Amino acid sequence: MTDLTDLTIAEARDKLAAREISARDLTKAAIDAMEGARALNAFVTETPDRALAMADEADKRLASGDAQPMTGIPVAVKDLFCTKDVRTTAGSHMLEPFTPPYESTVTANLWANGAVMIGKANMDEFAMGSSNESSYFGAVKNPWRLGDTDLVPGGSSGGSVAAIAARIAQGATGSDTGGSIRQPAAFTGTVGLKPTYGRCSRYGMVAFASSLDQAGPLTRTVRDSAIMLGAMAGYDAKDSTSVDTPIPDYEKALTGDIRGLKIGIPKEYHSDDTPKEIEALWQQGKEWLREAGAEIVDISLPHTRFALPTYYIVAPAEASSNLARYDGVRYGHRATLEKGDDLNEMYEATRAEGFGAEVIRRIMIGTYVLSAGYYDAYYLKAQKLRTLIADDFHKAYEKVDVILTPTTPNPAFAVGAKLDPIAMYYNDVFTVPASLAGLPGISVPAGLSSDGLPLGLQILGRAFDEETVLKVADVMEQAAGFTARPGVWWK
């Protein structure tokens, strides 16, 4: 019999519906796997008792015929989604003691659909990072290894992807500001979908950069991604950036037929710095789609070269504003006042103690670019460039249906190998442009590096056209036939 944790969401859903397995048994298997994989440091908080109670409720729904697609499916929740009465830290000492009195809309939607929470997944502090090494609770280790060398899982959704790749949970929530769903998916041989900005509510998500943050699913297959997105998405009046548009049946979009679709290949994504094996995989991806009946079209996104510096002005600027609320007054960490200290000294001490080095770095950058004398020189210019980057995509989609690119410029790297911030930021070079434009994108595992590590290809689509993105991704997934998985070294 297949190990229950090996089941995909679609497989588990069908077996649950046929009453071949129970939600409790599926959840118990996930809890056992989570406990056995603590060496990965994938979870900040484990919630086994709550998970089993939710599983029992799911079994009741299944027995009554009131099941939804995610009913009884164990999921890991990235620890920036507020979960009522369950600690939510955003990977930071600042929020270490915070227990929300309310639920994020995304997780509330999942629970309404019958999903089961097994725990809160570790992450880069306040979602700021590309390797999951900036968490206050320690680095997450990639289930994939290179000999005896520990690798990063990517970030900031590193705990979420580790839980998927290690066969702990069937699905996980992630958030993507500049690539934090797609990049870690590529590093771990999993599927990561960033929906269109506004497709999933941001209510109850701990904010990093409000004009960029977007929730999305992390799964093992494209079909699972379609199922999970359907349960997460929806209009929310509590989020002013939520878009009131119908949620289609994404799974029905997976027809396997992409004949006649036009696939854009942006010339600007070719770089002398990109390893030959990633360029070769990109070429292979084009061939797979061409063989499936799609037309390959060369396009230009001329402002792509400005995307990374634009992002690292806009995102820190918004972060410096959003993180100003953490002053030790209302909730979270508060520094101990010495006799004679005033309120300003308490603010300073609280923020110095509560934030890690990467968060402080981005707050300082953001404060600088928003300051008098530099606002016009940096922030306003970055916003103008952001508009030009978005316009490039709009013009491209007049000619093509989706765009195909690599997801990352390299496979997963060793823990501690990229301490230079600029080298770390370069990991987002292929993912940031779509984030600035607010467009949907998905990373699909498509091959292995010469060292045997996962590599991903990225498909980008028009705003609110996740259906076409998923349809093309499904075809590419079938063509790639990626079945590799990490060895179980952590038990």
Side-chain angles (χ1 to χ4, degrees):
M1 179 180 174
T2 301
D3 191 312
L4 292 180
T5 59
D6 280 335
L7 295 173
T8 65
I9 291 175
E11 290 168 345
R13 174 196 61 184
D14 294 345
K15 287 183 178 295
L16 287 165
R19 308 305 286 154
E20 294 176 20
I21 60 174
S22 71
R24 187 177 183 86
D25 287 343
L26 190 63
T27 299
K28 184 65 168 62
I31 292 169
D32 290 345
M34 177 172 62
E35 292 173 350
R38 286 177 179 153
L40 296 175
N41 199 31
F43 288 86
V44 172
T45 303
E46 299 177 6
T47 57
D49 293 340
R50 179 173 174 142
L52 289 172
M54 295 175 82
D56 289 341
E57 286 300 314
D59 278 328
K60 291 178 184 177
R61 290 180 64 170
L62 287 158
S64 68
D66 185 33
Q68 300 295 317
M70 289 291 293
T71 299
I73 303 297
V75 299
V77 176
K78 186 174 181 178
D79 204 26
L80 57 61
F81 292 89
C82 288
T83 42
K84 186 177 181 181
D85 300 328
V86 177
R87 186 175 67 147
T88 300
T89 70
S92 179
H93 182 40
M94 185 65 82
L95 285 176
E96 186 178 6
F98 176 55
T99 300
Y102 59 94
E103 192 80 26
S104 78
T105 297
V106 161
T107 52
N109 288 349
L110 285 169
W111 312 152
N113 209 270
V116 173
M117 179 175 73
I118 62 168
K120 303 297 290 293
N122 202 349
M123 56 178 284
D124 278 307
E125 185 180 10
F126 283 104
M128 299 181 194
S130 301
S131 65
N132 217 145
E133 294 175 279
S134 74
S135 172
Y136 175 73
F137 302 96
V140 175
K141 294 179 181 178
N142 193 329
W144 292 80
R145 232 181 187 186
L146 195 56
D148 293 328
T149 301
D150 289 329
L151 305 176
V152 302
S156 61
S157 305
S160 294
V161 289
I164 302 302
R167 269 56 180 180
I168 298 171
Q170 264 76 23
T173 63
S175 68
D176 194 308
T177 305
S180 289
I181 287 174
R182 292 161 288 158
Q183 183 253 21
F187 277 9
T188 54
T190 57
V191 176
L193 171 63
K194 182 195 91 70
T196 308
Y197 181 79
R199 177 64 89 182
C200 293
S201 172
R202 292 187 301 108
Y203 177 78
M205 286 175 63
V206 178
F208 164 14
S210 299
S211 74
L212 294 159
D213 296 344
Q214 183 58 201
L218 285 151
T219 60
R220 292 186 209 130
T221 70
V222 173
R223 184 169 298 275
D224 285 1
S225 188
I227 294 168
M228 193 167 174
L229 177 60
M232 294 171 62
Y235 173 66
D236 182 12
K238 297 190 291 293
D239 173 10
S240 63
T241 60
S242 178
V243 177
D244 190 1
T245 186
I247 305 299
D249 185 336
Y250 295 114
E251 194 175 5
K252 283 186 177 179
L254 309 184
T255 62
D257 184 3
I258 61 168
R259 288 174 295 179
L261 290 184
K262 295 181 178 180
I263 314 296
I265 307 297
K267 65 180 182 180
E268 288 80 10
Y269 279 57
H270 292 280
S271 169
D272 293 337
D273 298 327
T274 303
K276 291 182 179 179
E277 61 188 5
I278 288 181
E279 281 281 351
L281 185 67
W282 191 11
Q283 293 299 321
Q284 180 63 71
K286 289 191 281 186
E287 288 305 311
W288 285 331
L289 298 181
R290 182 183 284 116
E291 290 169 4
E295 179 184 350
I296 305 301
V297 180
D298 291 329
I299 61 170
S300 177
L301 300 171
H303 295 93
T304 292
R305 62 193 176 101
F306 300 115
L308 210 57
T310 296
Y311 174 83
Y312 280 103
I313 290 173
V314 173
E318 295 186 16
S320 72
S321 178
N322 276 324
L323 272 61
R325 70 192 70 176
Y326 301 110
D327 53 14
V329 175
R330 293 175 181 82
Y331 59 89
H333 173 73
R334 177 188 294 181
T336 302
L337 285 172
E338 301 292 335
K339 187 174 181 180
D341 285 350
D342 62 20
L343 192 59
N344 284 332
E345 289 170 319
M346 188 274 284
Y347 290 159
E348 292 170 3
T350 292
R351 293 172 70 79
E353 292 176 10
F355 292 136
E358 181 60 29
V359 172
I360 290 173
R361 180 183 294 113
R362 298 199 194 193
I363 289 173
M364 295 300 290
I365 292 170
T367 302
Y368 177 80
V369 301
L370 290 175
S371 62
Y374 299 101
Y375 180 85
D376 291 348
Y378 292 102
Y379 185 72
L380 281 186
K381 286 183 179 178
Q383 290 290 17
K384 290 176 181 178
L385 279 167
R386 182 180 185 177
T387 299
L388 293 173
I389 290 165
D391 286 344
D392 286 347
F393 279 105
H394 295 324
K395 290 173 183 176
Y397 287 125
E398 293 174 1
K399 302 175 182 177
V400 300
D401 297 291
V402 297
I403 294 170
L404 175 68
T405 79
T407 308
T408 61
N410 47 257
F413 48 88
V415 173
K418 295 195 176 184
L419 299 178
D420 172 33
I422 302 302
M424 187 71 75
Y425 297 165
Y426 185 68
N427 276 282
D428 302 329
V429 67
F430 294 137
T431 55
V432 156
S435 293
L436 290 168
L439 300 174
I442 191 169
S443 179
V444 179
L448 295 172
S449 72
S450 57
D451 290 325
L453 299 176
L455 297 173
L457 289 175
Q458 176 181 224
I459 297 162
L460 307 174
R462 297 184 181 93
F464 299 102
D465 189 18
E466 287 87 359
E467 288 171 286
T468 303
V469 170
L470 287 161
K471 180 188 295 186
V472 176
D474 178 57
V475 169
M476 191 165 69
E477 178 183 58
Q478 300 307 316
F482 187 91
T483 57
R485 56 188 294 178
V488 182
W489 56 266
W490 53 87
K491 290 188 178 180

